[in-house]
């Protein structure tokens, strides 16, 4: 198969490309560094030539609601039009758990708009909704730190390894289109403060993580029950402890 990975140099995109290469598939990495700008449509036509499937793992550079909405509206419109012209048979997009149950504001809502655009397009599609990646805990901490303390409510989360998500995206791309969506999360549920605390320990980060149910955390403008995978769903294999051990070994190998 010839599969185009849009956003192939990003966090998940790199893992998707590596997974496809291990499977001896023809891969086209489409990103701004390779001359493809999905937001303007530049380079899309050439990148999609002879493509069987497209995996869209692009992400908005600005995750605030309005900016993210504009990004996903523009990129998805250009991509679907280019796929139609190229005769692409399968559009696979990475979304986020809860995106289909939000209002009109925030990042989750922006991903929901992307999903609806994909559903209304002409290309057969599959949508994979993922929970938060393990390393996303660092961004959560960054957004919600006051002085030396991270304040987070005790929302339940079920974080997942980005490598497991990348593998599932590849499996979907190499299968028949779902014409629908599937949720994916890790094998364990935990509270949001516990999740962030365990990841910060990997970095020897001295910040305190405090459970505070009186605040609304930045980056989570949806109710707690929407953060967990809902049927139909897929459960990944890698636990947070396994990921922590891999991160620790990686830091040692880099001399950190």
């Amino acid at each position: 198969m010839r599969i185009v990975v849009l956003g192939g140099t990003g966090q998940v995109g790199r893992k998707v490309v590596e997974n496809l290469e291990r499977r001896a598939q023809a891969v086209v990495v489409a990103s701004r560094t390779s001359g493809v700008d999905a937001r303007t449509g530049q380079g899309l036509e050439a990148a999609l030539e002879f493509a069987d499937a497209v995996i869209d793992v692009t992400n908005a550079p600005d995750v605030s609601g309005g900016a993210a909405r504009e990004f996903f509206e523009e990129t998805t419109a250009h991509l679907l039009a280019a796929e139609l012209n190229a005769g692409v048979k399968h559009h696979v997009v990475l979304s986020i758990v809860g995106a289909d149950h939000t209002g009109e504001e925030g990042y989750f809502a922006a991903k929901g708009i992307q999903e609806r655009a994909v559903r209304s397009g002409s290309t057969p599609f599959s949508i994979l909704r993922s929970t938060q990646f393990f390393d996303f805990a660092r961004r959560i901490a960054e957004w919600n730190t006051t002085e030396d303390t991270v304040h987070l409510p005790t929302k339940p989360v079920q974080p997942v390894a980005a490598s497991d998500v990348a593998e599932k995206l590849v499996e979907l791309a190499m299968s028949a289109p779902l014409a629908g969506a599937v949720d994916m999360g890790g094998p364990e549920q935990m509270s949001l403060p516990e999740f962030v605390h365990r990841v910060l320990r990997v970095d020897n980060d001295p910040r305190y993580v405090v459970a505070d149910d009186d605040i609304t955390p930045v980056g989570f403008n949806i109710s707690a029950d929407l953060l967990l995978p809902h049927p139909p769903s897929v459960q990944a294999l890698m636990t947070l402890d396994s990921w922590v051990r891999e991160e620790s070994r990686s830091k040692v190998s880099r001399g950190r």
Side-chain angles (χ1 to χ4, degrees):
M1 293 183 69
R2 183 178 179 86
I3 299 177
V4 176
V5 183
L6 198 68
T9 58
Q11 176 195 11
V12 181
R14 291 193 302 271
K15 297 180 186 301
V16 169
V17 170
E18 291 169 359
N19 194 294
L20 285 167
E21 289 175 340
R22 287 197 299 271
R23 296 171 186 247
Q25 301 301 308
V27 186
V28 176
V29 179
S31 67
R32 295 184 69 178
T33 57
S34 62
V36 178
D37 187 344
R39 190 159 193 175
T40 64
Q42 178 183 346
L44 273 177
E45 183 176 345
L48 267 57
E49 189 174 11
F50 306 120
D52 297 297
V54 171
I55 301 176
D56 181 5
V57 288
T58 54
N59 199 10
D62 184 343
V63 297
S64 60
R69 175 174 180 162
E70 290 180 6
F71 175 85
F72 290 123
E73 285 177 336
E74 292 170 0
T75 58
T76 304
H78 285 302
L79 182 55
L80 291 173
E83 288 176 349
L84 182 60
N85 290 335
V88 174
K89 305 259 187 321
H90 195 177
H91 177 107
V92 180
V93 63
L94 175 61
S95 188
I96 184 170
V97 166
D100 56 326
H101 293 292
T102 57
E104 296 300 320
E105 300 297 330
Y107 182 75
F108 284 77
K111 292 297 287 184
I113 289 168
Q114 182 189 33
E115 286 192 20
R116 290 194 290 275
V118 169
R119 287 179 180 275
S120 64
S122 300
T123 307
F125 67 92
S126 299
I127 299 170
L128 179 64
R129 300 189 190 110
S130 167
T131 57
Q132 292 70 39
F133 301 143
F134 290 142
D135 49 4
F136 188 62
R138 294 165 177 140
R139 184 72 63 85
I140 297 171
E142 177 186 338
W143 288 340
N144 294 279
T145 295
T146 301
E147 296 181 349
D148 62 348
T149 304
V150 184
H151 293 266
L152 295 168
T154 53
K155 288 176 178 278
V157 292
Q158 196 170 326
V160 66
S163 56
D164 283 341
V165 172
E167 182 171 4
K168 185 60 182 178
L169 286 167
V170 170
E171 290 177 358
L172 288 173
M174 297 179 66
S175 304
L178 295 176
V182 62
D183 286 6
M184 183 173 188
E188 308 164 295
Q189 287 188 24
M190 62 195 74
S191 72
L192 185 56
E194 178 190 356
F195 168 42
V196 173
H197 172 68
R198 288 169 68 180
V199 174
L200 292 186
R201 284 193 308 179
V202 178
D203 303 332
N204 295 316
D205 192 310
R207 282 177 291 182
Y208 300 99
V209 181
V210 175
D212 185 351
D213 286 324
D214 293 327
I215 68 163
T216 300
V218 177
F220 292 90
N221 63 319
I222 63 174
S223 59
D225 62 320
L226 297 181
L227 291 173
L228 300 177
H230 291 78
S233 64
V234 177
Q235 183 172 291
L237 296 177
M238 183 175 288
T239 65
L240 180 55
D241 281 344
S242 296
W243 179 84
V244 164
R245 287 193 292 270
E246 285 193 2
E247 283 286 288
S248 298
R249 286 195 294 267
S250 177
K251 289 179 185 296
V252 170
S253 67
R254 294 196 304 264
R256 296 180 61 182

